[in-house]
Amino acid sequence: MAEWMVETIRDRGMLRQEEAIAHVRAVYGEAYVFVNEAGNASLEKEVKKAFRKLHRGRIAWDRDGFFWAWT
C-alpha cells in the first residue's frame, strides 16, 4: 500500500486521500481503513507509518486539500 502511494505520487505529483482510500479498500479491504474523529475515512496508522518511512520527508500532506504531494 505504502509503495503504491509513493509511486503514484512520484508519477503524478500528488495523490488525493479519497483515491488512496478507494484503492486500499478495493485491493486490500476495509481492515486498513477507519473513520476518524472528524468523520473522514483515513488509513490505519501502520499504513501511514510505512508510507512516511518510504518517502523520508519528500512528500507533504496538504491538510486543506486532503492530498499528498511531492515536495
Side-chain angles (χ1 to χ4, degrees), residues 1-67:
M1 288 172 266
E3 289 177 8
W4 172 81
M5 291 172 68
V6 171
E7 289 300 317
T8 300
I9 296 165
R10 185 178 289 138
D11 292 345
R12 292 192 214 154
M14 69 173 292
L15 174 63
R16 295 202 170 281
Q17 181 177 351
E18 64 214 26
E19 182 183 359
I21 297 294
H23 176 83
V24 168
R25 278 184 171 143
V27 176
Y28 302 100
E30 288 290 327
Y32 299 99
V33 178
F34 74 100
V35 176
N36 64 21
E37 315 80 49
N40 299 314
S42 183
L43 298 173
E44 283 292 338
K45 290 180 184 182
E46 290 302 315
V47 175
K48 291 188 275 189
K49 182 178 174 182
F51 174 63
R52 284 190 298 273
K53 186 175 180 179
L54 282 175
H55 75 67
R56 297 187 312 263
R58 295 174 294 177
I59 294 172
W61 170 248
D62 185 298
R63 187 179 303 249
D64 295 330
F66 290 93
F67 65 86

